[in-house]
């Protein structure tokens, strides 16, 4: 694997290998055990053209844990504001000494474009409404660590599916791993290609092992309405109808009081902080794979 741009084409065994490696990294980090610095002497460039808290910081720490030097690009203070093109920016960062790039951009396909311009290994940290593959990986790690398996689980992904790059990676990735995924949301926010979907959250709650809530992507065309909140917010009343073992997930950032209530976000069912914790080990696993480490 040279790049990590999409979950498309990633087979079940390859994905399970990444999950296993990420989980082993999590154990090492939790026990504060030494980690082989396989990126020592290499520079990782974080090119985030869109805001981020957890993805940027966890890529930053993951690269540092593996011994890399990290250079971080801030579009607000960069020469893009003086008219430099995206291609010239990417080639400039390469000339400065980047060996790998992590790219987030508001336009679909930019990470792939940068990979082709530079020839460097590139990781997609979220592109437009397309994909967010490392989010899917850390979510699969979270589910696997909680349930001890993935195959046969039933997960409802709820809300603004059409505009969500998280959904763009998570739905196909989890299906590859044998999870039954039901997309739940208003018809306007359901991709035409989605075959397993439900209009009403209330119809599926009792059958789910996990509920995965999505933020309404207002920056990409989604609109928060009272109707959405009334029909799709996971609140205490709805959470009470889930099976006792069922968990609640969210990629963050949450909009408390919109797709999720305060109480559910902070409840014992919520694995949202656990998802964030799995971000660093999952991203380390991707770096290790791209660096060609095996085993
Ligand atoms: N889940 C996620 O991508 O969060 P950030 O936008 O904070 O990176």
């Amino acid at each position: 694997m040279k790049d990590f741009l999409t979950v498309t084409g990633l087979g079940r065994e390859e994905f399970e290998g990444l999950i296993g490696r990420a989980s082993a990294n999590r154990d090492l980090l939790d026990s504060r055990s030494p980690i082989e610095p396989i990126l020592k002497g290499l520079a990782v460039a974080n090119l985030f053209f869109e805001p981020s808290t957890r993805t940027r910081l966890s890529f930053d720490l993951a690269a540092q844990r593996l011994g890399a030097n990290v250079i971080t690009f801030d579009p607000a203070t960069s020469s893009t504001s003086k008219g430099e093109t995206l291609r010239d920016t990417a080639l400039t960062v390469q000339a400065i000494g980047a060996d790998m790039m992590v790219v987030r951009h508001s336009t679909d396909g930019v990470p792939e474009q940068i990979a082709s311009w530079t020839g460097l290994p590139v990781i997609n940290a979220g592109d437009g409404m397309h994909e967010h593959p490392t989010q899917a990986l850390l979510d699969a790690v979270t589910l696997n660590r909680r349930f001890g398996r993935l195959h046969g689980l039933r997960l409802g992904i709820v809300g603004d599916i059409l505009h969500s790059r998280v959904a763009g990676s998570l739905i196909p990735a989890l299906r590859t791993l044998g999870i039954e995924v039901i997309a739940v949301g208003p018809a306007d926010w359901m991709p035409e290609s989605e075959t397993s979907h439900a209009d009403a959250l209330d119809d599926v709650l009792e059958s789910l092992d996990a509920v995965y809530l999505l933020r309404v992507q207002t920056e990409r065309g989604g609109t928060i309405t009272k109707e959405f909140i009334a029909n799709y917010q996971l609140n205490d009343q709805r959470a009470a109808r889930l099976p006792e073992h069922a968990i609640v997930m969210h990629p963050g950032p949450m909009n408390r009081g919109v797709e999720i209530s305060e109480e559910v976000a902070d409840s014992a069912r919520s694995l949202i902080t656990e998802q964030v914790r799995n971000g660093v080990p999952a991203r380390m696993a991707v770096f290790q794979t791209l660096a060609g480490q095996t085993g």
Side-chain angles (χ1 to χ4, degrees), residues 51-56 104 132 135 251-253:
S52 168
T53 298
R54 66 224 82 216
T55 310
R56 189 174 70 77
R104 169 171 287 193
H132 193 349
Q135 180 70 46

Side-chain angles (χ1 to χ4, degrees), residues 38-39 47 65 75 93 124 129 134 141-142 150 158 164 205 218 225 234 242 272 282:
I38 60 154
L39 299 185
L47 271 60
R65 293 277 193 228
V93 175
N124 180 359
M129 300 198 296
T134 60
V141 171
T142 305
L150 293 171
V158 184
S164 169
L205 283 169
T218 50
T225 62
L234 190 66
L242 291 166
I272 296 167

Side-chain angles (χ1 to χ4, degrees), residues 192-269:
E192 276 177 23
S193 58
E194 185 48 63
T195 48
S196 177
H197 58 84
D199 294 334
L201 178 57
D202 290 321
D203 288 350
V204 297
L205 283 169
E206 276 95 355
S207 69
L208 300 176
D209 299 299
V211 186
Y212 194 105
L213 302 160
L214 295 169
R215 181 174 63 84
V216 179
Q217 306 281 301
T218 50
E219 70 275 37
R220 283 179 249 287
T223 308
I224 298 169
T225 62
K226 281 185 190 157
E227 197 187 358
F228 173 76
I229 294 171
N231 291 324
Y232 295 100
Q233 183 190 86
L234 190 66
N235 52 28
D236 266 347
Q237 292 72 41
R238 290 200 170 102
R241 293 179 48 208
L242 291 166
E244 207 173 327
H245 69 271
I247 61 164
V248 174
M249 301 175 75
H250 192 304
M254 289 181 273
N255 282 163
R256 289 169 182 256
V258 181
E259 71 276 8
I260 188 167
S261 71
E262 286 277 2
E263 297 73 26
V264 172
D266 299 327
S267 68
R269 288 186 188 280

